[in-house]
Structures are given as C-alpha cells and as structure tokens.
Amino acid sequence: QVQLVESGGGLVQPGGSLRLSCATSGMIFRIVTLGWYRQAPGNQRELVALITFTGSTNYADSVKGRFTISRDNTKNTLYLQMNSLKPEDTAVYFCNKNPPHENSWGQGTQVTVST
C-alpha cells in the first residue's frame, strides 16, 4: 500500500523560502516518476513539478526558476525547495506519483505566503 507523508509547510513572508519533504513507502521509489501538486481554496489540484526516475525535471510555468524538485532514492524521500515565494503560492501541497495514484493522496502540507 502506497503511503505518502508531506511535511515542511508553514507561514512565510513574500520572498521567503521553504523546503517541503515527502516520505514515501509501499512503492519501488527509485523507478517511479513523482510529482508535487498543490490545491488552493476554490481551485483544482494542479501539478507543480515532476521528476522522473532518471532525474529529469519539469515545472509549471508559474514556479519555473523559483522551485526545485529533487529526490533521495536512498531515503525514499521527495523534496521541493521553494524560493522567492509569492502570495499566489499559498495552497496545500501534496506529493504523489505522476500520473497520480488516486487512492494514495496524503494529508498534504499547508503553505501560506503572507505578510
């Protein structure tokens, strides 16, 4: 059974940084493509960034140049470094496979960018 546990969110001022982590279990981590997703109030969940098993990455235009996705195959953990945060980045952030495994969404971690 796939389990995903996100952490690292919080309240940060515009221009600040956060690093999110996603601890995973129940999958062969090193061979799957993984993604970070976010959902703001009233919006659909959207893909923010993904990383393939080879380490190739892709980003939504809205975060390109500010966010960096990475993975540690020795720890079965996915990361998202978020810099130059903007109020519009406020959302609950989730990790999952890409395409997502619909029965495996975790609780997510809240990121709030505000003064």
Side-chain angles (χ1 to χ4, degrees), residues 59-106:
Y59 299 91
D61 287 343
S62 59
V63 307
K64 204 170 291 184
R66 301 188 297 120
F67 290 11
T68 302
I69 189 171
S70 62
R71 63 194 297 162
D72 186 336
N73 290 343
T74 67
K75 297 181 179 179
N76 291 350
T77 302
L78 181 71
Y79 302 100
L80 186 68
Q81 178 66 43
M82 305 187 296
N83 298 329
S84 302
L85 282 161
K86 303 176 180 180
E88 50 263 45
D89 295 318
T90 295
V92 180
Y93 284 71
F94 302 86
C95 61
N96 206 324
K97 295 180 178 180
N98 182 265
H101 191 258
E102 289 301 329
N103 294 332
S104 300
W105 293 106

Side-chain angles (χ1 to χ4, degrees), residues 2-18:
V2 175
Q3 290 191 320
L4 306 163
V5 180
E6 302 90 349
S7 62
L11 173 64
V12 63
Q13 292 188 341
S17 298
L18 284 173

